[in-house]
Amino acid sequence: MTYSSRRGFLKLGLLAGVASALPGILRAEGARVYAPARTAWRTFELRTTIVPPAGQGATQVWLPLPDLATDWQRTRDDRWSGNAMKTEIVTDPASGARMLRASFAADEAAPTLTLISTVETRDRVIDWSANTPAQEDPAVLRAALAPSRMKPLDGVVLKTARSITAGATTDVEKVRAIYDWIVATCHREPSVPGCGPGDIAAVLTQTGYAGKCADLNGLFVGLARASGVPARDVYGVRVAPSAFDYKQLGGTPEKLSGAQHCRAEVWLEDYGWVAMDPADVLKVMRQEREDWIKDRENPLIAPVDAALFGNWEGNWIAYNTASDVILPGSSAGPLPFLMYPQGENRAGRFDELAADTFSYKITAEEVGA
């Protein structure tokens, strides 16, 4: 194991142990705690209400459905209401990602659709000491090693991956090196619209190693794939504040239209799919305080840096892991990912980031079991 790998694992274990044993002392002394832990399931009602523009011909909308059944998330049900002339659940033909499609008549004066998904979540954690061989469908792993439109695996991506992982002999060491390189080299750029386009070659050649979560976690995924480690993005939305008082790591349940967040995971044979989120480390470094913190050892940053290599907090709901998404029935081309409501009419595809003019609202409410 490389030095950076040993350092990361030791730091993670130390912080997790201290945080669970002495949270009162840590808080009293002013140190920060960020230590996701396996706890009881939480249940959220995730509500998306969309009001497409009227008077512009026949209209279609597509809303992503929380589509993962895992040991950290499960969907109870999806239900919807509105005045669409047709609603149906459809899937992206390549990935199988599910979405609700609604069609509105050209003369509908006030089109509207509300989707409510009831989803259970909990913190996602890993025990690095438990080496238990895991199994996965070979087709799933092949897909997690393939390039996509925004994730080429040749050229500058391959060159960078080889440089980062030189000397690493195991997949864990490769992943650790890539995670550390992104946190040490890249930075979050708040001016990037939405979650960023996810163009990882551009991050390496045009943006100064800057971007947002779809760019930075997307880069992590691309570098892992180029290094021979299966990896994928996980697209979702934050639905509640962080339990550890990090304002940048939570959402405001009453207004989640801008709370979309892309995470990542890698396949490691002794552990299965493992959570990763270097982009959130960079978000805390750049935006948790007014000043830009560039020291990973800073007491505000270190717990997050350690924990997000293998863990994440359950205040977030995943939609899918799909890329190059086809919207069934759409006249436009594929999307790099499906994390926002989508729509189109005779004027073309709506701007997914214009939640006010496109007019959609996303909220969440935590409900009893």
Side-chain angles (χ1 to χ4, degrees), residues 292-312:
W292 183 354
I293 304 170
K294 299 184 179 181
D295 177 11
R296 293 175 69 179
E297 302 299 329
N298 182 285
L300 186 70
I301 307 304
V304 176
D305 185 13
L308 291 179
F309 186 83
N311 311 272
W312 67 45

Side-chain angles (χ1 to χ4, degrees), residues 243-326:
F244 304 99
D245 299 325
Y246 281 84
K247 62 181 182 294
Q248 295 299 328
L249 301 183
T252 302
E254 298 80 15
K255 183 174 173 53
L256 300 175
S257 300
Q260 287 85 359
H261 179 53
C262 163
R263 287 178 154 165
E265 57 183 6
V266 295
W267 176 262
L268 300 173
E269 288 187 356
D270 289 334
Y271 304 97
W273 288 107
V274 179
M276 297 283 156
D277 199 341
D280 258 357
V281 182
L282 296 171
K283 184 178 186 184
V284 173
M285 294 173 77
R286 185 68 187 267
Q287 292 184 265
E288 189 68 21
R289 295 192 326 205
E290 290 186 4
D291 58 315
W292 183 354
I293 304 170
K294 299 184 179 181
D295 177 11
R296 293 175 69 179
E297 302 299 329
N298 182 285
L300 186 70
I301 307 304
V304 176
D305 185 13
L308 291 179
F309 186 83
N311 311 272
W312 67 45
E313 196 174 350
N315 61 336
W316 174 84
I317 288 174
Y319 290 123
N320 57 68
T321 61
S323 59
D324 294 344
V325 178
I326 299 293

Side-chain angles (χ1 to χ4, degrees), residues 23-357:
I25 295 175
L26 282 172
R27 293 184 188 278
E29 292 180 351
R32 293 301 297 269
V33 176
Y34 187 81
R38 184 59 57 83
T39 56
W41 289 91
R42 304 170 69 181
T43 303
F44 295 93
E45 283 194 349
L46 179 64
R47 178 187 297 262
T48 302
T49 298
I50 185 168
V51 183
Q56 298 184 27
T59 298
Q60 294 187 89
V61 299
W62 297 261
L63 304 183
L65 294 172
D67 197 32
L68 301 184
T70 68
D71 63 354
W72 46 269
Q73 178 174 310
R74 56 197 186 196
T75 299
R76 286 189 182 178
D77 65 73
D78 301 297
R79 59 194 188 276
W80 53 86
S81 61
N83 55 14
M85 64 180 183
K86 182 179 181 180
T87 55
E88 59 181 333
I89 293 178
V90 297
T91 61
D92 169 44
S95 69
R98 298 166 67 248
M99 61 200 88
L100 178 65
R101 175 190 177 193
S103 303
F104 297 90
D107 60 355
E108 177 57 61
T112 184
L113 175 70
T114 295
L115 167 66
I116 301 174
S117 297
T118 304
V119 184
E120 296 178 329
T121 71
R122 61 181 177 182
D123 288 5
R124 185 174 182 180
V125 297
I126 188 170
D127 180 359
W128 289 109
S129 68
N131 294 351
T132 304
Q135 300 294 323
E136 180 57 282
D137 183 344
V140 172
L141 296 181
R142 285 195 297 271
L145 284 168
S148 68
R149 186 160 57 95
M150 291 293 185
K151 291 184 180 64
L153 303 184
D154 55 4
V156 67
V157 177
L158 179 59
K159 180 180 178 181
T160 304
R162 287 175 172 170
S163 174
I164 293 169
T165 61
T169 59
T170 69
D171 284 356
V172 174
E173 290 181 3
K174 291 177 182 178
V175 169
R176 179 80 250 183
I178 293 167
Y179 180 99
D180 283 343
W181 183 87
I182 287 178
V183 175
T185 308
C186 300
H187 68 274
R188 178 178 174 86
E189 177 46 62
S191 65
V192 170
C195 290
D199 185 343
I200 68 171
V203 174
L204 293 174
T205 60
Q206 300 173 27
T207 71
Y209 302 109
K212 283 190 178 174
C213 59
D215 308 310
L216 302 170
N217 281 338
L219 178 59
F220 173 87
V221 168
L223 292 171
R225 290 182 179 184
S227 302
V229 183
R232 59 192 183 188
D233 300 276
V234 191
Y235 299 101
V237 61
R238 305 184 202 267
V239 293
S242 170
F244 304 99
D245 299 325
Y246 281 84
K247 62 181 182 294
Q248 295 299 328
L249 301 183
T252 302
E254 298 80 15
K255 183 174 173 53
L256 300 175
S257 300
Q260 287 85 359
H261 179 53
C262 163
R263 287 178 154 165
E265 57 183 6
V266 295
W267 176 262
L268 300 173
E269 288 187 356
D270 289 334
Y271 304 97
W273 288 107
V274 179
M276 297 283 156
D277 199 341
D280 258 357
V281 182
L282 296 171
K283 184 178 186 184
V284 173
M285 294 173 77
R286 185 68 187 267
Q287 292 184 265
E288 189 68 21
R289 295 192 326 205
E290 290 186 4
D291 58 315
W292 183 354
I293 304 170
K294 299 184 179 181
D295 177 11
R296 293 175 69 179
E297 302 299 329
N298 182 285
L300 186 70
I301 307 304
V304 176
D305 185 13
L308 291 179
F309 186 83
N311 311 272
W312 67 45
E313 196 174 350
N315 61 336
W316 174 84
I317 288 174
Y319 290 123
N320 57 68
T321 61
S323 59
D324 294 344
V325 178
I326 299 293
L327 301 178
S330 173
S331 60
L335 296 166
F337 48 79
L338 179 62
M339 186 164 43
Y340 295 85
Q342 301 292 324
E344 65 182 42
N345 56 24
R346 69 185 180 200
R349 181 170 284 172
F350 304 155
D351 180 358
E352 63 183 19
L353 302 181
D356 296 328
T357 55

